[in-house]
Amino acid sequence: MATASSPYPGECAPLRDQGTLTDADQVARFASAVANNTTRVLDIDAVYESEYLKGARVLITGANRGVGLDLAKEAASKGAVVIGACRSSSKELDECASQVITGVDVTSVDDCMRMAEKLSGEAPVDILINNAGYFPDGADDFTSGPAYEEAIKQYDICALGPLRVSHALVSKGCIKSPGGKIIMITSQGGSITWRQVQNANEGTDYGHHMGKAAANMCGALMAEELRGKGIAVANLHPGFNRTDMTRKYEHIWDIEGAVEASVGAKRVWHEVGRVTLSQAGCPFVNCEDGLEIPN
């Protein structure tokens, strides 16, 4: 029966069907894609749909380098109006973005609100990409000792950062409503289920995995709260990209199918275009193959 606290006629709310899930074993997943010549994984250009970007206003945090910079370059090349937000800009970002807002530290509520105030008199943003992240080098396990301070920093940037940015922009009417999208660039590392495969019998990287799991929860909760405003929210794993942040894993780049960030950016934008206003839940998509990841 429906109750005062639940509008659903059954005892439980209907859960969103994630469909066929992507493979947790990244080595096996890439090997299978190669063996089966899977176009979606091996040649994103063959399936890439980017027409929706022409004329779209997109705001990207952490846009001055890495995946964020390549997201900005790719969107600009497709005719988007790119707004880059970062602590300090770069020559490449200045060259491709229509607007760059510097002095934006996503750990600062004041910085995020100042950014929103700068944009409040302009046309609303069609797509917000919460991309700013942090993944330090160094051990984070029981043998060396958990890296508590680094874990707190990762949580602050990767989980609370997107919440600060999104709240500031929504509260100032800077996200198109209805019709806007908030995209969380998170990680397969935030999947609790997948720790049984990718971290089997070893744990490690507590700050990274816990921070990304919290980021995924942020996206899931925002999807529920902002659905009524007509703003779609999705968690996207950008795939394994060859960036400075992942250089510590360069010894497995080839076997796990890591791609240049320019390719990774196309994968992300392809999936952003597929995001719609879900009636339940929040998609958690692997941009390598377009399939969902279990939470």
Side-chain angles (χ1 to χ4, degrees):
M1 294 178 60
T3 66
S5 61
S6 173
Y8 300 102
E11 293 183 0
C12 299
L15 298 180
R16 183 175 169 279
D17 182 5
Q18 289 189 286
T20 301
L21 298 175
T22 187
D23 190 347
D25 186 330
Q26 190 154 332
V27 174
R29 183 169 74 221
F30 180 62
S32 175
V34 172
N36 293 296
N37 195 28
T38 307
T39 301
R40 173 63 183 79
V41 176
L42 303 179
D43 184 13
I44 186 61
D45 286 319
V47 299
Y48 184 30
E49 295 182 358
S50 61
E51 294 79 8
Y52 73 94
L53 283 170
K54 187 174 182 179
R57 286 174 58 81
V58 302
L59 191 157
I60 305 168
T61 64
N64 57 327
R65 62 190 180 94
V67 172
L69 177 59
D70 277 279
L71 287 170
K73 288 180 178 179
E74 178 60 25
S77 75
K78 299 304 181 184
V81 177
V82 176
I83 305 166
C86 45
R87 289 179 296 174
S88 59
S89 191
S90 63
K91 181 176 182 294
E92 290 180 284
L93 178 60
D94 290 338
E95 290 174 347
C96 73
S98 301
Q99 181 180 359
V100 179
I101 304 175
T102 57
V104 180
D105 183 339
V106 299
T107 68
S108 166
V109 172
D110 290 341
D111 285 0
C112 294
M113 291 304 296
R114 277 193 292 269
M115 173 180 65
E117 287 164 2
K118 286 182 180 180
L119 295 170
S120 61
E122 304 176 15
V125 169
D126 296 288
I127 304 167
L128 165 63
I129 306 288
N130 280 310
N131 167 76
Y134 177 63
F135 192 4
D137 293 325
D140 185 10
D141 54 33
F142 273 45
T143 301
S144 301
Y148 294 114
E149 293 304 316
E150 292 285 26
I152 292 171
K153 186 174 180 180
Q154 289 175 87
Y155 184 88
D156 202 11
I157 294 172
C158 300
L160 290 176
L163 181 60
R164 294 185 186 96
V165 170
S166 302
H167 173 256
L169 293 173
V170 171
S171 69
K172 292 294 183 180
C174 298
I175 304 291
K176 186 177 180 180
S177 175
K181 299 181 183 182
I182 294 179
I183 304 299
M184 302 282 288
I185 301 299
T186 63
S187 171
Q188 64 181 9
S191 169
I192 294 173
T193 302
W194 276 14
R195 292 318 99 222
Q196 301 170 57
V197 177
Q198 298 179 343
N199 292 81
N201 301 312
E202 63 178 19
T204 74
D205 284 334
Y206 286 89
H208 171 66
H209 295 300
M210 293 167 70
K212 291 302 185 180
N216 290 341
M217 180 62 78
C218 177
L221 291 172
M222 288 198 300
E224 299 302 325
E225 183 163 3
L226 298 180
R227 184 174 295 119
K229 294 181 180 292
I231 298 174
V233 183
N235 293 326
L236 300 186
H237 167 57
F240 199 7
N241 294 285
R242 300 178 185 231
T243 66
D244 288 340
M245 190 175 289
T246 67
R247 191 166 298 281
K248 68 178 97 175
Y249 300 121
E250 63 182 335
H251 60 287
I252 57 172
W253 275 353
D254 290 338
I255 195 173
E256 294 199 358
V259 298
E260 296 300 326
S262 58
V263 176
K266 291 179 181 180
R267 288 173 165 179
V268 170
W269 284 123
H270 181 70
E271 293 305 323
V272 171
R274 297 177 62 202
V275 172
T276 59
L277 189 65
S278 174
Q279 295 305 304
C282 175
F284 181 16
V285 179
N286 178 8
C287 293
E288 292 176 4
D289 58 15
L291 301 177
E292 290 208 30
I293 300 168
N295 291 305

